Amino acid sequence: MVRHARDKFMRAPAALRELHPLGKAPIVEHEGKVLAESGAILEYLVERFGEGRLAPTPGTQAHLDYRYWMHYAEGSLMNWLVMKL
């Protein structure tokens, strides 16, 4: 785990921009792949290391619901939470 501290203007340090051109965080680097965006990172970790235990069976309604709520948190809910802060 590497912590990349932002400057007082919240700009990403050069080391983080080398991993992602926009300086996005969080980032996971695994086996030469660099992933940004929380939902994509979670899906990758579940598929790569979950061994079928961390998500409902693909093709089921439960899996559709699981995917909806995972992306709802970042896509819709986060805007309201940030505005509330």
Side-chain angles (χ1 to χ4, degrees), residues 9-67:
F9 301 107
M10 296 305 293
R11 290 182 297 215
L16 184 55
R17 286 193 312 272
E18 287 176 18
L19 293 171
H20 190 285
L22 298 177
K24 297 280 281 181
I27 287 180
V28 168
E29 185 176 13
H30 183 253
E31 295 181 346
K33 299 175 191 85
V34 176
L35 294 163
E37 300 299 339
S38 300
I41 291 169
L42 288 173
E43 285 186 11
Y44 175 77
L45 294 174
V46 166
E47 289 170 10
R48 180 71 172 81
F49 301 105
E51 298 176 353
R53 300 169 296 149
L54 302 177
T57 304
T60 64
Q61 183 61 47
H63 193 266
L64 290 174
D65 294 342
Y66 153 83
R67 182 155 285 165

Side-chain angles (χ1 to χ4, degrees), residues 52-80:
R53 300 169 296 149
L54 302 177
T57 304
T60 64
Q61 183 61 47
H63 193 266
L64 290 174
D65 294 342
Y66 153 83
R67 182 155 285 165
Y68 170 81
W69 287 109
M70 179 182 294
H71 291 282
Y72 173 81
E74 286 287 328
S76 298
L77 181 62
M78 188 58 68
N79 294 328
W80 292 101

